[in-house]
C-alpha cells in the first residue's frame, strides 16, 4: 500500500516545479529589459574608462623604461670601450709580466730537482721493452736559443761557428806566449771555428795582428781585475761565468786552456751524446775510465775489505759542453761556489759538482758525461811518462796534447809542435817525466 501512494505524490509535484521555472525565466527577462532602459551605456562604463586609462599609463611607463634602458646601454658600451682601450694600452706590460712569471716558474721547476721533472723534460712515460732491449735516454734536448742575452756576441758567433760549434779560449797578456803557440797549431790543423775571449787590450791587439776571431766582454767590475791581472788558475775560474752566454745562444762550446797544442780537428772526434765530454787527468785505462779500488781496514776483521769505485778527475781546462739545461746548471753551480769563500780550485769544484750524488741536504747534478779517449785527448803525464817511450805509441797521432802536468809549459808546447808537425823524433827526449 505504501509504494503506490508515494509514486502518485511524486507524479503530482512535477507540474508545479516546471511552472516555477517558467515564472523565474519571465521575471529575469523583465528585469533585463528594465535595466536596459535605465542604463543604455551599461552598468560598468565608468570602470571601462578607468581601465583604459590604467593601460595607457602602463604603456607610457613602459616606453619610459625602454628609453631609460637604451640610454643606460649606450653608457655601458662606452664604459666597456674605455676598459678595452685601457687594457690594450697595458698589453705590453702584461706580456712582460707573463714572460717573467713563466721564467720564474721554469726556474722553480728546475730548482725542485725531483725525478718527475726529468720525466717531463724527456717526454711521455714509456713501457719497458723485453729483457736486454731497454736503453735509457742519454742525450738531453738542447735549449731554445735566446739572442736577447747578448746580441753582440750572437753576431760574432754566427760568423765564427761551424755547425753551431766552436773552440773558446780565455786569455790575458800574462799567457800571451802560450796563446801564440796554441793559435799557431790551430791554424796548422786547419781549424777555423776558434774564438779568443780577450780579457785585456793586449790580447785584442794580438788577435787583430794574427787574424784571430775575438770577443771582448763589456766591463764588469766584479771580475775585471781578475781577468786583466790574474794568473792561469784565476783566469780559469772565470770561464764558468763567461761560457754561460754561449750556451744560452744555442752553441756547443769546446773550452780550451791556452797550454794546449792542436794536432787534429777535435770536432771530428766528439760524440755529442752527453752534456759534458771531458779529457781525463788519468794516465792509464784504469785511472782514466774508472776502476774498483779495495779499501783495507784490518781492525774490522771479517769485514776488513770495502770496495770503492774510483776515477781520476776530469780536466777543467779542456771539455765540450752541449747547450743543455744540465750543462748550464753545471756552469752556474761551479761559478757560484767559486765566488764565495772558502777559496777553491776550479777543477776540484768542477768534478765535485759533476760526480757527487744526491744525498741528505744536497741535490746532485743530473748531467750525462763522457770521458774522452785518453790517447786522442792526451795529457802531458801520459805523453812524457808513457807515449814517448813506446815505439808503437809514438806513431799515434793525438787530437790535442794538454801540458797540464808540467809547469814548464811553453818549452814543452814548442817541443810537441816539433815532434808532431815537424817530425823531429827526439824533440821530447830532453824533458824529465815530471817537473824536475
Amino acid at each position: 500500500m505504501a509504494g503506490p501512494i508515494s509514486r502518485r505524490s511524486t507524479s503530482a509535484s512535477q507540474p508545479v516545479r516546471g511552472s516555477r521555472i517558467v515564472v523565474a525565466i519571465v521575471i529575469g527577462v523583465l528585469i533585463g529589459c528594465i535595466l536596459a532602459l535605465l542604463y543604455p551605456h551599461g552598468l560598468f562604463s565608468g570602470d571601462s574608462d578607468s581601465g583604459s586609462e590604467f593601460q595607457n599609463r602602463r604603456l607610457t611607463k613602459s616606453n619610459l623604461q625602454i628609453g631609460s634602458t637604451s640610454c643606460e646601454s649606450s653608457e655601458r658600451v662606452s664604459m666597456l670601450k674605455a676598459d678595452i682601450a685601457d687594457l690594450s694600452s697595458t698589453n705590453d706590460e702584461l706580456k712582460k709580466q707573463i714572460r717573467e712569471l713563466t721564467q720564474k716558474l721554469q726556474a722553480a721547476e728546475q730548482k725542485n730537482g725531483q725525478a718527475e721533472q726529468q720525466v717531463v723534460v724527456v717526454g711521455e712515460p714509456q713501457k719497458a721493452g723485453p729483457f736486454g732491449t731497454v736503453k735509457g735516454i742519454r742525450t738531453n734536448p738542447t735549449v731554445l736559443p735566446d739572442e736577447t742575452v747578448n746580441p753582440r756576441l750572437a753576431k760574432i758567433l754566427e760568423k765564427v761557428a761551424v755547425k753551431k760549434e766552436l773552440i773558446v779560449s780565455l786569455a790575458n797578456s800574462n799567457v800571451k806566449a802560450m796563446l801564440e803557440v796554441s793559435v799557431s797549431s790551430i791554424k796548422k790543423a786547419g781549424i777555423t771555428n776558434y774564438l779568443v775571449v780577450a780579457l785585456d787590450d793586449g790580447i785584442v791587439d794580438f788577435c787583430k795582428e794574427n787574424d784571430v776571431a775575438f770577443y771582448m766582454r763589456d766591463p764588469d767590475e766584479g771580475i775585471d781585475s781578475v781577468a786583466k791581472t790574474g794568473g792561469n788558475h784565476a783566469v780559469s775560474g772565470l770561464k764558468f761565468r763567461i761560457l754561460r752566454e754561449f750556451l744560452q745562444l744555442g752553441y756547443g762550446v769546446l773550452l780550451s786552456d791556452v797550454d794546449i797544442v792542436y794536432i787534429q780537428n777535435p770536432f771530428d772526434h766528439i760524440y755529442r751524446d752527453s752534456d759534458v765530454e771531458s779529457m781525463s787527468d788519468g794516465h792509464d785505462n784504469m785511472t782514466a775510465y774508472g776502476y774498483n779500488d779495495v779499501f783495507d781496514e784490518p781492525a774490522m776483521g771479517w769485514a776488513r775489505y770495502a770496495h770503492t769505485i774510483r776515477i781520476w778527475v776530469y780536466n777543467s781546462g779542456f771539455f765540450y759542453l752541449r747547450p743543455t739545461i744540465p750543462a748550464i746548471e753545471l756552469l752556474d753551480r761551479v761559478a757560484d761556489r767559486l765566488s764565495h769563500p772558502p777559496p777553491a780550485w776550479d777543477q776540484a769544484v768542477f768534478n765535485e759538482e759533476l760526480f757527487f750524488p744526491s744525498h741528505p741536504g744536497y741535490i746532485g747534478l743530473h748531467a750525462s758525461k763522457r770521458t774522452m779517449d785518453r790517447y786522442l785527448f792526451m795529457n802531458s803525464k801520459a805523453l812524457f811518462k808513457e807515449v814517448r817511450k813506446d815505439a808503437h805509441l809514438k806513431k799515434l797521432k793525438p787530437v790535442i796534447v794538454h801540458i797540464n802536468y808540467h809547469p814548464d809549459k811553453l818549452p814543452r808546447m814548442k817541443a810537441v809542435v816539433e815532434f808532431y808537425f815537424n817530425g823531429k823524433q827526439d824533440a821530447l827526449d830532453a824533458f824529465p817525466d815530471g817537473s824536475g
Side-chain angles (χ1 to χ4, degrees):
M1 295 292 292
I5 293 172
S6 298
R7 284 196 294 270
R8 282 196 302 268
S9 299
T10 302
S11 299
S13 64
Q14 287 178 353
V16 174
R17 184 179 299 173
S19 60
R20 287 178 180 175
I21 293 172
V22 173
V23 171
I25 292 171
V26 171
I27 292 171
V29 172
L30 292 173
I31 292 172
C33 292
I34 293 169
L35 291 174
L37 292 173
L38 295 175
Y39 301 98
H41 299 292
L43 288 171
F44 306 102
S45 60
D47 293 342
S48 177
D49 293 340
S50 299
S52 298
E53 183 179 355
F54 176 73
Q55 289 179 355
N56 290 335
R57 289 177 181 175
R58 289 185 61 185
L59 289 174
T60 303
K61 186 176 183 180
S62 298
N63 291 336
L64 290 174
Q65 288 178 343
I66 292 172
S68 175
T69 302
S70 177
C71 293
E72 289 178 359
S73 299
S74 299
E75 292 177 358
R76 183 61 177 167
V77 169
S78 299
M79 292 174 63
L80 289 174
K81 287 182 178 180
D83 291 341
I84 292 172
D86 292 339
L87 290 173
S88 298
S89 64
T90 59
N91 190 35
D92 292 338
E93 182 64 26
L94 290 173
K95 287 182 179 179
K96 181 180 178 181
Q97 292 178 0
I98 291 172
R99 285 196 299 268
E100 291 176 352
L101 290 173
T102 302
Q103 291 173 356
K104 289 180 180 179
L105 177 61
Q106 291 174 346
E109 290 177 347
Q110 292 166 15
K111 186 176 181 181
N112 191 308
Q114 300 298 321
E116 290 81 1
Q117 300 300 331
Q118 299 294 325
V119 174
V120 172
V121 172
V122 171
E124 296 297 326
Q126 301 177 10
K127 291 184 178 180
F131 178 81
T133 65
V134 177
K135 299 294 181 183
I137 296 175
R138 290 164 172 77
T139 307
N140 282 308
T142 57
V143 299
L144 186 67
D146 183 6
E147 293 189 1
T148 62
V149 169
N150 191 330
R152 184 166 65 88
L153 178 59
K155 292 180 180 179
I156 295 173
L157 297 183
E158 286 180 4
K159 298 177 181 178
V160 177
V162 175
K163 297 180 179 178
K164 301 287 284 187
E165 295 178 322
L166 74 161
I167 300 170
V168 176
S169 293
L170 278 67
N172 61 19
S173 294
N174 292 336
V175 296
K176 181 179 176 181
M178 287 188 289
L179 180 64
E180 290 178 356
V181 177
S182 185
V183 167
S184 176
S185 69
I186 285 174
K187 291 182 177 181
K188 290 179 180 179
I191 302 168
T192 60
N193 50 335
Y194 176 69
L195 178 74
V196 174
V197 177
L199 301 178
D200 60 30
D201 294 334
I203 296 301
V204 171
D205 294 338
F206 165 80
C207 291
K208 290 179 178 179
E209 293 169 1
N210 293 274
D211 194 26
V212 176
F214 70 92
Y215 162 68
M216 193 168 190
R217 299 169 42 259
D218 293 329
D220 186 335
E221 294 181 359
I223 62 176
D224 274 355
S225 60
V226 176
K228 294 179 179 179
T229 63
N232 194 40
H233 282 303
V235 171
S236 182
L238 297 179
K239 61 196 171 199
F240 299 98
R241 292 182 61 177
I242 295 174
L243 289 181
R244 190 186 206 277
E245 292 183 341
F246 288 77
L247 299 190
Q248 285 182 279
L249 292 171
Y251 289 85
V253 176
L254 183 58
L255 185 280
S256 174
D257 281 355
V258 295
D259 57 345
I260 294 175
V261 176
Y262 286 80
I263 295 99
Q264 298 186 65
N265 190 331
F267 294 108
D268 295 335
H269 302 274
I270 291 176
Y271 285 79
R272 303 172 180 85
D273 63 347
S274 303
D275 299 304
V276 182
E277 292 184 54
S278 178
M279 71 172 296
S280 172
D281 272 1
H283 61 88
D284 57 22
N285 288 347
M286 288 177 57
T287 56
Y289 308 136
Y291 62 102
N292 177 24
D293 184 54
V294 180
F295 176 78
D296 184 9
E297 188 177 6
M300 287 298 295
W302 176 83
R304 63 182 291 179
Y305 300 112
H307 290 258
T308 69
I309 299 298
R310 298 187 64 185
I311 184 173
W312 285 30
V313 295
Y314 283 177
N315 191 286
S316 63
F318 189 86
F319 57 84
Y320 175 79
L321 295 179
R322 293 180 63 247
T324 65
I325 291 297
I328 294 175
E329 184 182 0
L330 171 64
L331 296 177
D332 289 351
R333 285 180 176 227
V334 177
D336 180 66
R337 285 185 56 185
L338 293 176
S339 66
H340 296 93
W345 182 26
D346 69 281
Q347 181 159 291
V349 176
F350 176 71
N351 280 271
E352 288 171 3
E353 293 298 336
L354 266 178
F355 288 99
F356 280 1
S358 298
H359 55 263
Y362 176 77
I363 301 296
L365 178 70
H366 295 278
S368 57
K369 42 200 170 286
R370 168 182 281 275
T371 305
M372 292 177 171
D373 187 309
R374 73 180 190 89
Y375 283 125
L376 293 179
F377 300 90
M378 192 182 301
N379 61 56
S380 59
K381 181 177 182 177
L383 175 62
F384 287 98
K385 189 177 180 180
E386 177 191 9
V387 173
R388 68 170 176 168
K389 300 176 182 179
D390 187 295
H392 177 69
L393 294 178
K394 286 179 70 173
K395 297 178 182 178
L396 294 176
K397 186 179 181 181
V399 176
I400 61 117
V401 174
H402 189 180
I403 313 298
N404 60 316
Y405 269 100
H406 301 87
D408 51 338
K409 296 179 181 296
L410 186 59
R412 289 185 187 250
M413 289 178 70
K414 292 180 178 179
V416 170
V417 172
E418 289 292 330
F419 182 80
Y420 285 107
F421 281 107
N422 301 330
K424 189 177 180 180
Q425 293 300 302
D426 62 347
L428 306 174
D429 296 347
F431 299 93
D433 290 353
S435 58

